[in-house]
Structures are given as structure tokens and as C-alpha cells.
């Protein structure tokens, strides 16, 4: 499937969270899309109804489109990430390794570190904390 043809009608999401919206990004291969509950991360917010996602408790949560976000990486460089729906009721920022794979990025996991590469250049890394890989940035 071409990434430009993706729709957000329904998506299954498992969310592990505290009661506050976190600033950290959880990196996982189980997510279908990147998802974000923070509109302040958007480069250009477009608030259109975009369907729903099903949360880990089987509750539907409304999605609003978001064009792209800028992630500040471990090396201080800002990387644009496209196709990030804004989900106001979500409690964690979610980075989809599946989305990176669809865009021909490579993922390497070893020794408590997840690294994402594009053309042999590391563009992101995550550190394992409490069983989750948290984006270092």
C-alpha cells in the first residue's frame, strides 16, 4: 500500500501511560500510525475530522488530521515526520516503526537501544525504559 493512500478510519492502539500527557515519544512496531495528543508539536495544524482510533481499553477516540510535526533528535537536529494524526484524548506520543518501515527506513534493536536509519544515516534512536523504547530527543 502506498503511504499516500492511507486512511485513518480505525486503528488499534495500545497505550501505556501516566495520567498526564507525556512529552516523550514511545517507539513501537505495534502501532499502525504515528499518533500525537499535542497540537503544539504541529508545523501546520489542520483540524478536520479524521475518523477514530481504538484505544487499549476498546474505547473509540476521535482523530483530527495533522500535516506533519518536527521532532528534535538526540543530535539536536529537527526531523520532519509526516502523517501524524492529532488525537486529543491520547495520553502518549506514539512513533510507529511500521510507518518508518513503509518508507524504507531500517530499524536495529540491540542492548536496550532502538536505532532508525535512512540510507545508513541514523536519524533517530530510542532507549529502553520500563519495557518501552523512548525516543532520545
Amino acid at each position: 500500500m502506498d503511504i499516500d493512500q492511507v486512511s485513518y478510519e480505525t486503528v488499534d492502539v495500545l497505550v501505556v501511560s501516566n495520567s498526564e500527557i507525556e512529552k516523550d515519544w514511545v517507539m513501537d512496531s505495534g502501532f499502525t500510525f504515528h499518533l500525537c495528543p499535542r497540537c503544539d508539536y504541529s508545523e501546520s495544524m489542520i483540524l478536520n475530522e479524521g475518523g477514530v482510533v481504538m484505544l487499549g481499553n476498546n474505547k473509540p477516540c476521535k482523530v483530527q488530521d495533522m500535516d506533519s510535526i518536527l521532532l528534535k533528535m538526540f543530535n539536536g537536529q529537527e526531523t520532519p515526520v509526516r502523517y501524524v494524526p492529532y488525537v486529543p484524548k491520547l495520553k502518549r506520543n506514539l512513533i510507529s516503526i511500521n510507518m518508518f518501515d513503509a518508507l524504507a527506513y531500517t530499524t536495529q534493536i540491540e542492548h536496550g537501544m532502538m536505532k532508525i536509519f535512512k540510507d545508513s544515516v541514523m536519524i533517530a534512536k530510542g532507549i529502553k525504559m520500563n519495557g518501552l523504547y523512548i525516543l532520545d530527543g
Side-chain angles (χ1 to χ4, degrees):
M1 176 186 291
D2 183 21
I3 200 76
D4 291 325
Q5 297 173 353
V6 173
S7 76
Y8 308 131
E9 289 181 22
T10 59
V11 178
D12 290 328
V13 178
L14 173 63
V15 179
V16 179
S17 176
N18 295 330
S19 60
E20 295 181 349
I21 294 176
E22 297 282 339
K23 292 184 176 183
D24 293 333
W25 288 83
V26 175
M27 304 168 70
D28 198 291
S29 61
F31 308 129
T32 307
F33 300 100
H34 309 302
L35 299 172
C36 182
R38 298 176 58 107
C39 61
D40 57 322
Y41 286 171
S42 173
E43 287 186 303
S44 58
M45 177 66 74
I46 303 168
L47 295 178
N48 297 317
E49 290 299 317
V52 298
V53 294
M54 297 300 289
L55 301 181
N57 60 1
N58 285 330
K59 300 284 183 182
C61 196
K62 289 187 178 183
V63 174
Q64 296 180 318
D65 290 337
M66 180 184 289
D67 182 32
S68 64
I69 59 168
L70 283 176
L71 290 180
K72 190 170 189 175
M73 297 299 170
F74 63 96
N75 58 5
Q77 189 172 8
E78 290 187 336
T79 300
V81 179
R82 296 175 54 198
Y83 312 109
V84 184
Y86 168 55
V87 184
K89 292 190 178 185
L90 199 62
K91 299 295 182 192
R92 295 295 289 256
N93 300 298
L94 307 176
I95 290 287
S96 169
I97 302 307
N98 290 323
M99 292 274 304
F100 282 126
D101 183 50
L103 296 169
Y105 286 65
T106 303
T107 303
Q108 177 185 8
I109 302 172
E110 62 183 358
H111 309 296
M113 182 85 58
M114 179 183 291
K115 298 175 183 175
I116 309 296
F117 296 89
K118 180 65 175 179
D119 301 325
S120 300
V121 176
M122 184 169 49
I123 59 105
K125 67 180 179 178
I127 300 167
K128 189 174 183 179
M129 290 188 242
N130 300 317
L132 298 173
Y133 289 92
I134 306 298
L135 183 70
D136 183 8

